[in-house]
Amino acid sequence: MSKITIAIDGYSSTGKSTVAKQLAKQLGYVYVDTGAMYRAVTYYAMQNGLISETDFNKEALIYQLNKINISFEFNDGLGFAEVYLNNENIEKQIRTLEVSGFVSQVAAVSEVRQKLVEQQQQMGEARGVVMDGRDIGTVVFPKAELKLFMTASAETRAERRYNELIERGDQVVYNDVLKNVLERDYLDTHRKDSPLIKAEDAIEIDNSKLSLDEQFNKVLQLVKMTIEDCE
Ligand code: DC
């Protein structure tokens, strides 16, 4: 069976990573969470005093980009690859609302994008990859055989994110999560470099009213049809 590249883009908290992980498991593909890579750079900037509520030292971050090494390591127990920054597992640290609050500013820096896109293209070279993000179908893999664009209402997405954070034990307020979702939507769609847009040939999936099973079956059907077309 031929292996394809599956690009999944969409707004934050639309369940991209959930469906991407399901597909990777089912198909035996590699899953790459590119949002985790932008979060890792953001975490580095926070740890090194380069970004705060009042200041973002973009030049220093660009200068230090060569000190930032991001890698993934498959965790058998979890069933997906966790992200490492300079050999430190930072999977948990990058999922906080604080990192979410800064990440869109960091992701708007062209030099950061250039470095991460290059690494993402290398990781997907061999095909058999499911990659999720904001620019996968438009910039990273414009020739991907299957492109999905996930959407859901902002309120639905904020509720999902809020539940996730509460489950992890984080103290958050729903309105702050909704505010972050709306702010990131705006920044991610309005930045100059690689803004979030639906690729012309992407298939849109609004999952506001779909159960996880319904969504997975729908997407799996699309994958099977695409693989058949490629053979
Ligand atoms: O998918 P996520 O919420 O973990 O992504 C975090 C941020 O990273 C998101 O707000 C925008 C940015 N991002 C991006 O600009 N390009 C990507 N390919 C993936 C994420």
Side-chain angles (χ1 to χ4, degrees), residues 34-104:
T34 64
M37 299 170 76
Y38 289 94
R39 286 174 181 271
V41 177
T42 305
Y43 182 70
Y44 175 93
M46 288 163 65
Q47 292 293 95
N48 289 275
L50 306 179
I51 197 164
S52 68
E53 291 296 342
T54 50
D55 193 39
F56 176 23
N57 192 343
K58 215 186 286 183
E59 289 69 32
L61 177 64
I62 294 169
Y63 189 71
Q64 292 180 34
L65 275 178
N66 61 355
K67 291 192 186 164
I68 302 179
N69 177 34
I70 300 167
S71 54
F72 288 93
E73 216 166 284
F74 195 81
N75 179 322
D76 284 322
L78 293 173
F80 64 89
E82 295 181 294
V83 69
Y84 285 71
L85 170 66
N86 297 333
N87 298 320
E88 182 199 351
N89 183 330
I90 54 159
E91 187 61 39
K92 197 162 187 322
Q93 292 89 317
I94 60 165
R95 307 289 169 192
T96 61
L97 196 52
E98 207 187 352
V99 171
S100 299
F102 292 128
V103 66
S104 288

Side-chain angles (χ1 to χ4, degrees), residues 34-35 38-39 103-104 107 113 133-136 184 188 191:
T34 64
Y38 289 94
R39 286 174 181 271
V103 66
S104 288
R113 304 203 69 81
R134 304 294 189 286
D135 58 345
I136 312 305
R184 280 205 287 148
D188 294 344
R191 66 173 177 236

Side-chain angles (χ1 to χ4, degrees), residues 45-200:
M46 288 163 65
Q47 292 293 95
N48 289 275
L50 306 179
I51 197 164
S52 68
E53 291 296 342
T54 50
D55 193 39
F56 176 23
N57 192 343
K58 215 186 286 183
E59 289 69 32
L61 177 64
I62 294 169
Y63 189 71
Q64 292 180 34
L65 275 178
N66 61 355
K67 291 192 186 164
I68 302 179
N69 177 34
I70 300 167
S71 54
F72 288 93
E73 216 166 284
F74 195 81
N75 179 322
D76 284 322
L78 293 173
F80 64 89
E82 295 181 294
V83 69
Y84 285 71
L85 170 66
N86 297 333
N87 298 320
E88 182 199 351
N89 183 330
I90 54 159
E91 187 61 39
K92 197 162 187 322
Q93 292 89 317
I94 60 165
R95 307 289 169 192
T96 61
L97 196 52
E98 207 187 352
V99 171
S100 299
F102 292 128
V103 66
S104 288
Q105 285 182 70
V106 170
V109 179
S110 291
E111 288 81 355
V112 171
R113 304 203 69 81
Q114 206 180 333
K115 174 184 166 98
L116 299 189
V117 167
E118 215 175 279
Q119 191 178 346
Q120 290 154 13
Q121 287 172 334
Q122 279 167 9
M123 289 192 278
E125 242 167 23
R127 283 217 165 68
V129 68
V130 190
M131 201 172 276
D132 80 345
R134 304 294 189 286
D135 58 345
I136 312 305
T138 49
V139 176
V140 183
F141 293 119
K143 292 190 178 145
E145 289 84 357
L146 180 62
K147 299 180 187 177
L148 304 175
F149 191 84
M150 317 276 289
T151 64
S153 72
E155 289 72 19
T156 306
R157 293 185 281 129
E159 205 177 306
R160 288 176 188 159
R161 192 90 194 100
Y162 172 79
N163 290 336
E164 258 172 43
L165 290 166
I166 292 290
E167 246 169 58
R168 276 174 32 139
D170 288 5
Q171 302 274 319
V172 287
V173 176
Y174 170 79
N175 278 343
D176 289 344
V177 179
L178 178 61
K179 190 165 159 261
N180 173 257
V181 162
L182 293 171
E183 273 171 8
R184 280 205 287 148
D185 283 359
Y186 183 83
L187 291 172
D188 294 344
T189 50
H190 285 79
R191 66 173 177 236
K192 274 207 196 95
D193 190 347
S194 321
L196 168 65
I197 42 164
K198 176 179 165 296
E200 263 178 32

